[in-house]
Amino acid sequence: MQAEKLEIIRLLLETDDKELVSEIKNVFQKKGFDFWDDLPVGVKESIQRGLDEVYEGKVISHESVMEDIKNKYGSGS
């Protein structure tokens, strides 16, 4: 069973077919699969902390971080 799962994962990672990916996602949703249930507790807690920080406005935009790096280290060219 594990080998089959790994083969499906490999095929999924190699495809660029958006419709196929969407169909696979729909199959999991129809079956009631929720990846959250399979995550380790520590991962769930980390995700929740990150979401809490977003809701509390404790975020920095990507653009702002990149601008700080550019100012500190130069443009890189």
Side-chain angles (χ1 to χ4, degrees):
M1 184 64 151
Q2 285 300 104
E4 290 179 37
K5 289 179 181 179
L6 291 172
E7 177 64 13
I8 291 169
I9 291 168
R10 184 188 66 75
L11 293 169
L12 184 59
L13 289 172
E14 291 177 357
T15 187
D16 290 327
D17 186 334
K18 291 180 182 180
E19 185 176 327
L20 177 61
V21 172
S22 179
E23 288 177 24
I24 292 169
K25 184 177 178 182
N26 287 336
V27 167
F28 279 109
Q29 289 173 340
K30 287 178 185 174
K31 292 279 187 178
F33 175 79
D34 187 350
F35 75 93
W36 184 262
D37 297 333
D38 292 335
L39 292 176
V41 172
V43 173
K44 290 179 184 179
E45 289 171 349
S46 293
I47 292 170
Q48 189 57 56
R49 276 193 307 274
L51 289 172
D52 290 344
E53 288 178 359
V54 169
Y55 296 137
E56 294 168 6
K58 298 178 182 176
V59 294
I60 301 171
S61 71
H62 174 75
E63 291 80 14
S64 176
V65 171
M66 295 309 293
E67 186 65 28
D68 288 349
I69 290 171
K70 182 178 174 184
N71 290 337
K72 186 171 183 177
Y73 298 106
S75 65
S77 6

